[in-house]
Amino acid sequence: MTTSQNLVELIHKLPKAELHLHIEGSLEPQMVFDLAERNKVELPYKSAGELARLYDFEDLQSFLDLYYQATAVLQTEQDFYDLTWAYLKTCQTEKIVHAEIFFDPQSHTSRGIPFEVVLDGIHGALARAESELGITSRLIMCFLRHLPAAQALDTWKSAKPFLDRIHGVGLDSSERDFPPRLFADVYALARAEGLYAVAHAGEEGPPAYIREAIELLHVSRIDHGVRITEDPDLLAQVAERQIPLTVCPLSNTRLCVYETMAEHPILDLLDRGLLVTVNSDDPAYFGGYVNNNYLALAEALGPSADQIVQLAKNSFKASFLNDAATMKWLTKIDSVAAELSLRG
Ligand code: ADE
Ligand code: ZN
């Protein structure tokens, strides 16, 4: 299938929000090498090209093994700042005007990097992006689910003095055999402090984990959630309650959740009334940022212009922006789409 030039232009020009982005997953191979040199870290690869050739994953775990290894080059506040700023500059070129960003404090504190160093670096870049680029953001702290829940509670305690800069909590890392219910206590503490709750569920794990995340963690969004297709009752409930799914098409094909993009259910879910959004997950590893995800699904699934507009609108409807900001962007999307269709 070839995507029409009009659709390609629409994808590039529509304002979009990104709601599922691990900042550590935006660490490009060249930056791994630059930071390794700056911090005198020895890498087991000779070049950025050699590293990138390893990005041929068979499942989530094979990716995570490399991802955690690469994060070891992130050591100083400046490193976290540079990483985040590079992502936000890319947002500017992609017309991403709002980003809700995950970070994994445990993959840094476990290496002796203080929580505050990570947060100060990321937050410094977010503040600059809002004032210089007009890009708004929210920060979501993820707990690593392959580690014991007691360590998530320790992480929560470390975060308590900084909650003015953290908007939500999330759950990521190896999904199989690490059900959401293990983290109910730490989520209850975070929600009691007024934080939003989201969780990865139904990426590799069963639909039952989506149900647990909703019923036991009381999440307001599900990250991935694509295996909801296996449970029609749950699908109907999630559609009825308009609980958003932050879907990541390139991630799902690169991690072999689907063999080809042609099998991806995102448009089917959209047509069944689910509030699905398009996101990049770990763009440095999976073949690109948000626009590449739209382009890849457009190429394989042949969406209509209305479906692309709906996906962009969903990204704001599913965001943690207030109603006024959401309305502003929905109106802007309508005017960009109308202008392009008049010309087309
Ligand atoms: N951490 C970074 N990317 C992830 C993904 N796709 N699933 C689970 N944990 C992650
Ligand atoms: Zn993710």
Tab-separated table of all heavy atoms in Angstrom, residues 207 210-211 214 225-243 245 265 268-276:
chain	number	residue	atom	x	y	z
A	207	PRO	N	-4.999	-10.393	29.061
A	207	PRO	CA	-6.000	-9.359	29.336
A	207	PRO	C	-6.360	-9.265	30.828
A	207	PRO	O	-6.754	-8.198	31.299
A	207	PRO	CB	-7.220	-9.791	28.520
A	207	PRO	CG	-6.772	-10.857	27.607
A	207	PRO	CD	-5.440	-11.355	28.040
A	210	ILE	N	-4.898	-6.378	32.413
A	210	ILE	CA	-5.562	-5.090	32.135
A	210	ILE	C	-6.677	-4.896	33.166
A	210	ILE	O	-6.827	-3.835	33.766
A	210	ILE	CB	-6.151	-5.062	30.703
A	210	ILE	CG1	-5.050	-5.279	29.660
A	210	ILE	CG2	-6.902	-3.755	30.451
A	210	ILE	CD1	-5.544	-5.394	28.217
A	211	ARG	N	-7.428	-5.974	33.379
A	211	ARG	CA	-8.522	-5.926	34.358
A	211	ARG	C	-7.986	-5.600	35.757
A	211	ARG	O	-8.524	-4.745	36.467
A	211	ARG	CB	-9.208	-7.304	34.379
A	211	ARG	CG	-10.655	-7.287	34.711
A	211	ARG	CD	-11.186	-8.713	34.719
A	211	ARG	NE	-11.642	-9.183	33.430
A	211	ARG	CZ	-12.822	-8.883	32.898
A	211	ARG	NH1	-13.663	-8.112	33.557
A	211	ARG	NH2	-13.183	-9.365	31.731
A	214	ILE	N	-7.029	-1.975	36.153
A	214	ILE	CA	-8.194	-1.094	36.297
A	214	ILE	C	-8.818	-1.261	37.686
A	214	ILE	O	-9.091	-0.282	38.380
A	214	ILE	CB	-9.233	-1.398	35.191
A	214	ILE	CG1	-8.650	-1.019	33.819
A	214	ILE	CG2	-10.539	-0.661	35.450
A	214	ILE	CD1	-9.460	-1.520	32.629
A	225	GLY	N	-2.024	-2.377	26.114
A	225	GLY	CA	-3.401	-2.877	26.219
A	225	GLY	C	-3.924	-3.607	24.999
A	225	GLY	O	-5.099	-3.953	24.933
A	226	VAL	N	-3.037	-3.884	24.038
A	226	VAL	CA	-3.542	-4.444	22.766
A	226	VAL	C	-4.144	-5.846	22.905
A	226	VAL	O	-4.999	-6.235	22.112
A	226	VAL	CB	-2.438	-4.430	21.675
A	226	VAL	CG1	-2.220	-3.024	21.149
A	226	VAL	CG2	-1.128	-5.042	22.177
A	227	ARG	N	-3.713	-6.588	23.948
A	227	ARG	CA	-4.272	-7.944	24.092
A	227	ARG	C	-5.721	-7.926	24.599
A	227	ARG	O	-6.336	-8.966	24.804
A	227	ARG	CB	-3.350	-8.810	24.973
A	227	ARG	CG	-2.092	-9.220	24.204
A	227	ARG	CD	-1.298	-10.292	24.917
A	227	ARG	NE	-2.046	-11.527	25.085
A	227	ARG	CZ	-1.661	-12.544	25.859
A	227	ARG	NH1	-0.509	-12.465	26.513
A	227	ARG	NH2	-2.399	-13.636	25.971
A	228	ILE	N	-6.268	-6.729	24.738
A	228	ILE	CA	-7.694	-6.600	25.071
A	228	ILE	C	-8.574	-7.251	23.994
A	228	ILE	O	-9.708	-7.647	24.263
A	228	ILE	CB	-8.082	-5.110	25.243
A	228	ILE	CG1	-9.357	-4.977	26.055
A	228	ILE	CG2	-8.182	-4.385	23.901
A	228	ILE	CD1	-9.592	-3.583	26.586
A	229	THR	N	-8.026	-7.403	22.784
A	229	THR	CA	-8.788	-8.038	21.696
A	229	THR	C	-9.192	-9.470	22.058
A	229	THR	O	-10.107	-10.019	21.457
A	229	THR	CB	-7.944	-8.093	20.402
A	229	THR	OG1	-6.702	-8.722	20.718
A	229	THR	CG2	-7.690	-6.704	19.838
A	230	GLU	N	-8.496	-10.070	23.058
A	230	GLU	CA	-8.777	-11.464	23.424
A	230	GLU	C	-9.920	-11.589	24.431
A	230	GLU	O	-10.296	-12.700	24.802
A	230	GLU	CB	-7.508	-12.108	24.024
A	230	GLU	CG	-6.371	-12.184	23.038
A	230	GLU	CD	-5.031	-12.494	23.718
A	230	GLU	OE1	-5.017	-13.223	24.735
A	230	GLU	OE2	-4.006	-11.975	23.236
A	231	ASP	N	-10.439	-10.444	24.925
A	231	ASP	CA	-11.471	-10.502	25.967
A	231	ASP	C	-12.594	-9.519	25.620
A	231	ASP	O	-12.566	-8.353	26.018
A	231	ASP	CB	-10.831	-10.145	27.329
A	231	ASP	CG	-11.794	-10.286	28.482
A	231	ASP	OD1	-13.018	-10.212	28.262
A	231	ASP	OD2	-11.314	-10.452	29.626
A	232	PRO	N	-13.593	-9.996	24.865
A	232	PRO	CA	-14.658	-9.098	24.392
A	232	PRO	C	-15.405	-8.364	25.512
A	232	PRO	O	-15.785	-7.200	25.342
A	232	PRO	CB	-15.610	-10.029	23.636
A	232	PRO	CG	-14.792	-11.240	23.308
A	232	PRO	CD	-13.752	-11.367	24.376
A	233	ASP	N	-15.616	-9.013	26.668
A	233	ASP	CA	-16.336	-8.324	27.752
A	233	ASP	C	-15.528	-7.155	28.280
A	233	ASP	O	-16.050	-6.066	28.538
A	233	ASP	CB	-16.618	-9.286	28.924
A	233	ASP	CG	-17.660	-10.315	28.545
A	233	ASP	OD1	-18.378	-10.073	27.540
A	233	ASP	OD2	-17.737	-11.361	29.217
A	234	LEU	N	-14.227	-7.401	28.450
A	234	LEU	CA	-13.347	-6.331	28.938
A	234	LEU	C	-13.289	-5.202	27.912
A	234	LEU	O	-13.339	-4.017	28.262
A	234	LEU	CB	-11.940	-6.909	29.185
A	234	LEU	CG	-10.898	-5.935	29.734
A	234	LEU	CD1	-11.287	-5.406	31.108
A	234	LEU	CD2	-9.520	-6.630	29.804
A	235	LEU	N	-13.195	-5.585	26.647
A	235	LEU	CA	-13.148	-4.582	25.575
A	235	LEU	C	-14.391	-3.681	25.632
A	235	LEU	O	-14.288	-2.441	25.553
A	235	LEU	CB	-13.029	-5.294	24.227
A	235	LEU	CG	-12.647	-4.429	23.032
A	235	LEU	CD1	-11.874	-5.266	22.001
A	235	LEU	CD2	-13.838	-3.791	22.375
A	236	ALA	N	-15.540	-4.291	25.812
A	236	ALA	CA	-16.782	-3.508	25.863
A	236	ALA	C	-16.766	-2.554	27.058
A	236	ALA	O	-17.182	-1.393	26.956
A	236	ALA	CB	-17.982	-4.447	25.947
A	237	GLN	N	-16.253	-3.061	28.178
A	237	GLN	CA	-16.214	-2.234	29.395
A	237	GLN	C	-15.246	-1.045	29.235
A	237	GLN	O	-15.564	0.084	29.620
A	237	GLN	CB	-15.754	-3.134	30.549
A	237	GLN	CG	-15.878	-2.518	31.908
A	237	GLN	CD	-15.158	-3.365	32.972
A	237	GLN	OE1	-15.056	-4.585	32.854
A	237	GLN	NE2	-14.647	-2.715	33.991
A	238	VAL	N	-14.097	-1.308	28.636
A	238	VAL	CA	-13.084	-0.255	28.453
A	238	VAL	C	-13.581	0.787	27.434
A	238	VAL	O	-13.356	1.987	27.589
A	238	VAL	CB	-11.726	-0.882	28.065
A	238	VAL	CG1	-10.733	0.150	27.575
A	238	VAL	CG2	-11.148	-1.634	29.270
A	239	ALA	N	-14.314	0.306	26.432
A	239	ALA	CA	-14.909	1.236	25.459
A	239	ALA	C	-15.981	2.085	26.135
A	239	ALA	O	-16.014	3.308	25.997
A	239	ALA	CB	-15.510	0.456	24.293
A	240	GLU	N	-16.826	1.441	26.908
A	240	GLU	CA	-17.920	2.142	27.608
A	240	GLU	C	-17.367	3.213	28.549
A	240	GLU	O	-17.840	4.342	28.581
A	240	GLU	CB	-18.723	1.064	28.374
A	240	GLU	CG	-19.592	1.527	29.510
A	240	GLU	CD	-20.921	2.081	29.009
A	240	GLU	OE1	-21.293	1.709	27.886
A	240	GLU	OE2	-21.530	2.887	29.727
A	241	ARG	N	-16.313	2.864	29.293
A	241	ARG	CA	-15.741	3.820	30.263
A	241	ARG	C	-14.730	4.763	29.618
A	241	ARG	O	-14.196	5.628	30.279
A	241	ARG	CB	-15.095	3.038	31.420
A	241	ARG	CG	-16.131	2.304	32.269
A	241	ARG	CD	-15.505	1.388	33.315
A	241	ARG	NE	-14.665	2.106	34.269
A	241	ARG	CZ	-13.949	1.508	35.226
A	241	ARG	NH1	-14.002	0.191	35.357
A	241	ARG	NH2	-13.208	2.213	36.043
A	242	GLN	N	-14.462	4.543	28.331
A	242	GLN	CA	-13.492	5.393	27.608
A	242	GLN	C	-12.157	5.462	28.355
A	242	GLN	O	-11.556	6.547	28.489
A	242	GLN	CB	-14.063	6.789	27.364
A	242	GLN	CG	-15.180	6.782	26.305
A	242	GLN	CD	-14.617	6.537	24.892
A	242	GLN	OE1	-14.082	7.434	24.270
A	242	GLN	NE2	-14.764	5.310	24.399
A	243	ILE	N	-11.698	4.310	28.835
A	243	ILE	CA	-10.363	4.242	29.441
A	243	ILE	C	-9.362	4.182	28.293
A	243	ILE	O	-9.414	3.264	27.470
A	243	ILE	CB	-10.232	2.991	30.344
A	243	ILE	CG1	-11.235	3.066	31.499
A	243	ILE	CG2	-8.800	2.864	30.881
A	243	ILE	CD1	-11.339	1.780	32.318
A	245	LEU	N	-6.202	3.646	25.795
A	245	LEU	CA	-5.068	2.732	25.587
A	245	LEU	C	-3.991	3.516	24.845
A	245	LEU	O	-4.247	4.024	23.744
A	245	LEU	CB	-5.458	1.520	24.734
A	245	LEU	CG	-6.642	0.656	25.159
A	245	LEU	CD1	-6.780	-0.533	24.190
A	245	LEU	CD2	-6.481	0.146	26.579
A	265	PRO	N	-4.050	-4.303	15.557
A	265	PRO	CA	-5.494	-4.048	15.714
A	265	PRO	C	-5.867	-2.586	15.981
A	265	PRO	O	-7.033	-2.303	16.268
A	265	PRO	CB	-5.846	-4.905	16.941
A	265	PRO	CG	-4.612	-4.876	17.780
A	265	PRO	CD	-3.447	-4.833	16.794
A	268	ASP	N	-8.931	-1.259	14.181
A	268	ASP	CA	-10.085	-2.048	14.580
A	268	ASP	C	-10.585	-1.572	15.955
A	268	ASP	O	-11.785	-1.379	16.171
A	268	ASP	CB	-9.618	-3.512	14.633
A	268	ASP	CG	-10.780	-4.446	14.698
A	268	ASP	OD1	-11.809	-4.129	14.080
A	268	ASP	OD2	-10.670	-5.477	15.394
A	269	LEU	N	-9.634	-1.348	16.869
A	269	LEU	CA	-10.001	-0.866	18.203
A	269	LEU	C	-10.633	0.528	18.108
A	269	LEU	O	-11.626	0.826	18.794
A	269	LEU	CB	-8.767	-0.841	19.115
A	269	LEU	CG	-8.161	-2.212	19.447
A	269	LEU	CD1	-6.829	-2.063	20.194
A	269	LEU	CD2	-9.130	-3.045	20.290
A	270	LEU	N	-10.069	1.373	17.245
A	270	LEU	CA	-10.620	2.722	17.044
A	270	LEU	C	-12.066	2.623	16.542
A	270	LEU	O	-12.964	3.299	17.057
A	270	LEU	CB	-9.748	3.472	16.028
A	270	LEU	CG	-10.095	4.936	15.771
A	270	LEU	CD1	-9.716	5.808	16.964
A	270	LEU	CD2	-9.378	5.454	14.513
A	271	ASP	N	-12.275	1.749	15.575
A	271	ASP	CA	-13.622	1.596	15.002
A	271	ASP	C	-14.609	1.022	16.009
A	271	ASP	O	-15.812	1.248	15.904
A	271	ASP	CB	-13.580	0.690	13.758
A	271	ASP	CG	-12.918	1.404	12.594
A	271	ASP	OD1	-12.755	2.644	12.667
A	271	ASP	OD2	-12.535	0.726	11.610
A	272	ARG	N	-14.093	0.271	16.989
A	272	ARG	CA	-15.000	-0.282	18.011
A	272	ARG	C	-15.238	0.705	19.154
A	272	ARG	O	-15.764	0.351	20.205
A	272	ARG	CB	-14.416	-1.572	18.569
A	272	ARG	CG	-14.375	-2.662	17.515
A	272	ARG	CD	-14.518	-4.011	18.160
A	272	ARG	NE	-13.520	-4.941	17.699
A	272	ARG	CZ	-13.300	-6.114	18.278
A	272	ARG	NH1	-13.969	-6.470	19.355
A	272	ARG	NH2	-12.391	-6.926	17.790
A	273	GLY	N	-14.733	1.946	18.980
A	273	GLY	CA	-15.053	3.011	19.942
A	273	GLY	C	-14.070	3.135	21.085
A	273	GLY	O	-14.342	3.851	22.060
A	274	LEU	N	-12.923	2.452	21.003
A	274	LEU	CA	-11.949	2.618	22.090
A	274	LEU	C	-11.150	3.905	21.902
A	274	LEU	O	-10.895	4.339	20.772
A	274	LEU	CB	-10.992	1.416	22.160
A	274	LEU	CG	-11.568	0.277	23.006
A	274	LEU	CD1	-12.366	-0.662	22.136
A	274	LEU	CD2	-10.486	-0.463	23.760
A	275	LEU	N	-10.754	4.484	23.028
A	275	LEU	CA	-9.963	5.718	22.995
A	275	LEU	C	-8.483	5.343	22.857
A	275	LEU	O	-7.736	5.345	23.833
A	275	LEU	CB	-10.227	6.514	24.282
A	275	LEU	CG	-9.703	7.938	24.362
A	275	LEU	CD1	-10.238	8.800	23.240
A	275	LEU	CD2	-10.109	8.557	25.691
A	276	VAL	N	-8.086	4.977	21.634
A	276	VAL	CA	-6.698	4.569	21.401
A	276	VAL	C	-5.873	5.752	20.899
A	276	VAL	O	-6.395	6.629	20.210
A	276	VAL	CB	-6.576	3.389	20.392
A	276	VAL	CG1	-7.094	2.109	21.012
A	276	VAL	CG2	-7.320	3.686	19.090
